Amino acid sequence: MTISKQQTEPGPAPQPDDEVLVTSTCQGDTAAFDLLVQRYQGRAVSVSLRLLGNSHDALEVVQEAFIRAYRNIETLQNRKRFRSWLLRIVTNLSLNQRRDRAAAQQMARLDDGDQDLPAERGRGYGESPAAGLQMSETQARLTDAVSGLPDHQRTALVLFCLEQLPQKEVAGIMGCSVEAVKWHVFQARKTLRRNVGDLLREP
Amino acid sequence: MTMTVEEFERLVSEWLDAPQHSELAAAVEAAVAARPAWARVRDEWQHLVASLRQLPAHGPPTGDDLRAAIRAAIAGSS
């Protein structure tokens, strides 16, 4: 009888779960935290970028979020929920950054004597979030429309519909009920349908 | 009791998030049967939700640069 190659060569070692890595980090193991960074950096950047619409700021926010997570990791009560906890930090920092940027841009424009801010009012960024990305015209318009949604609607939509996180986890990240998440998602979709309805109709 | 367009849209939104729930699908179809003009509303919602799902998960490459920056910041602060 021959023994197959698969039986003699073990596969890659299973990755430790989040709870183990958080516990190791609490004990001073920075390599364990590095594995958490590796595991969640992509998701964190994606969430921040979808909320901010600016890749430079998104990377800064994610870096800051991981540093805060590291410094406060002992306060995390349920160590299995590291992802939700991290994404809550990322979300809050992203929304704060967006508000700060919008306020700064408005002040700069007022200082320049330009009080006419029609297209960008409430968005907070001069460039389209879709600018420079490889996407169809429909996707670009939809991305811009998502960027124009109020904070709660945009956050719920990004986390649930775009990042496809479970509603319960989104509720935990946003600090609200599952029913509130459903309501924000519904309102967001209604707004989008009103704003990009022409894209949705069959010719 | 007559359903409003807003209530119908809410129903469609719930159904699209839980398409496995046959009772939601049946309720949507019953509402469309009673108000055929709502078929267009349903179709637009379906199109919107599908389009959102297809939006690319765009982002700059993260890789080693971000990890290294975080590692350095943590080492510098401890």
Side-chain angles (χ1 to χ4, degrees):
Chain A
M1 191 175 83
T2 57
I3 299 173
S4 77
K5 197 175 178 182
Q6 283 179 328
Q7 284 174 305
T8 56
E9 290 183 7
Q15 291 284 316
D17 64 24
D18 288 0
E19 189 176 18
V20 170
L21 292 174
V22 170
T23 300
S24 298
T25 302
C26 288
Q27 293 165 349
D29 182 356
T30 54
F33 190 74
D34 190 50
L35 283 175
L36 288 167
V37 173
Q38 183 183 34
R39 188 170 289 173
Y40 292 117
Q41 61 177 348
R43 173 78 83 168
V45 170
S46 179
V47 167
S48 185
L49 185 54
R50 289 188 199 271
L51 290 173
L52 280 167
N54 176 300
S55 58
H56 178 264
D57 287 355
L59 285 173
E60 276 193 2
V61 159
V62 169
Q63 183 175 333
E64 177 62 23
F66 273 113
I67 291 167
R68 287 193 190 194
Y70 179 77
R71 287 180 183 153
N72 296 291
I73 202 155
E74 289 185 4
T75 68
L76 176 58
Q77 292 179 347
N78 187 341
R79 293 177 174 180
K80 290 178 184 166
R81 295 203 179 150
F82 176 80
R83 181 177 79 171
S84 300
W85 183 66
L86 173 73
L87 291 180
R88 186 169 191 167
I89 300 171
V90 169
T91 299
N92 289 338
L93 287 176
S94 298
L95 295 177
N96 288 343
Q97 170 82 349
R98 192 176 147 110
R99 283 186 211 112
D100 290 349
R101 175 65 70 93
Q105 286 188 340
Q106 187 153 357
M107 284 301 293
R109 283 174 176 161
L110 290 173
D111 286 348
D112 289 344
D114 177 10
Q115 298 185 32
D116 185 21
L117 310 168
E120 301 302 329
R121 191 183 295 280
R123 173 178 288 162
Y125 284 85
E127 75 175 60
S128 157
L133 298 169
Q134 295 286 326
M135 52 174 73
S136 69
E137 188 184 338
T138 298
Q139 289 176 325
R141 274 195 58 200
L142 202 48
T143 299
D144 285 349
V146 169
S147 177
L149 292 170
D151 282 356
H152 279 94
Q153 292 181 23
R154 191 173 68 259
T155 304
L157 191 87
V158 162
L159 294 173
F160 177 61
C161 301
L162 278 61
E163 293 295 324
Q164 300 187 18
L165 297 172
Q167 284 174 331
K168 195 175 171 188
E169 185 172 359
V170 176
I173 292 168
M174 292 183 69
C176 64
S177 66
V178 168
E179 281 310 307
V181 170
K182 288 182 185 176
W183 177 251
H184 291 313
V185 167
F186 171 62
Q187 292 297 328
R189 286 170 172 165
K190 227 169 60 149
T191 306
L192 291 176
R193 180 171 170 253
R194 192 170 60 235
N195 292 346
V196 297
D198 58 301
L199 296 174
L200 308 172
R201 284 171 207 129
E202 296 296 332
Chain B
M1 198 171 76
T2 312
M3 184 183 274
T4 65
V5 174
E6 166 116 358
E7 288 166 341
F8 176 67
E9 289 181 304
R10 187 101 203 255
L11 174 65
V12 172
S13 186
E14 274 194 50
W15 164 57
L16 292 170
D17 290 337
Q20 73 278 14
H21 288 178
S22 54
E23 71 275 18
L24 289 174
V28 169
E29 290 317 304
V32 169
R35 301 281 291 270
W38 284 358
R40 188 176 63 86
V41 176
R42 178 202 56 201
D43 293 347
E44 286 184 17
W45 274 80
Q46 282 184 295
H47 194 166
L48 173 65
V49 170
S51 299
L52 284 169
R53 286 197 183 120
Q54 287 165 10
L55 277 185
H58 50 258
T62 46
D64 293 336
D65 288 351
L66 182 61
R67 273 177 82 191
I70 293 166
R71 210 181 294 133
I74 287 170
S77 68
S78 57

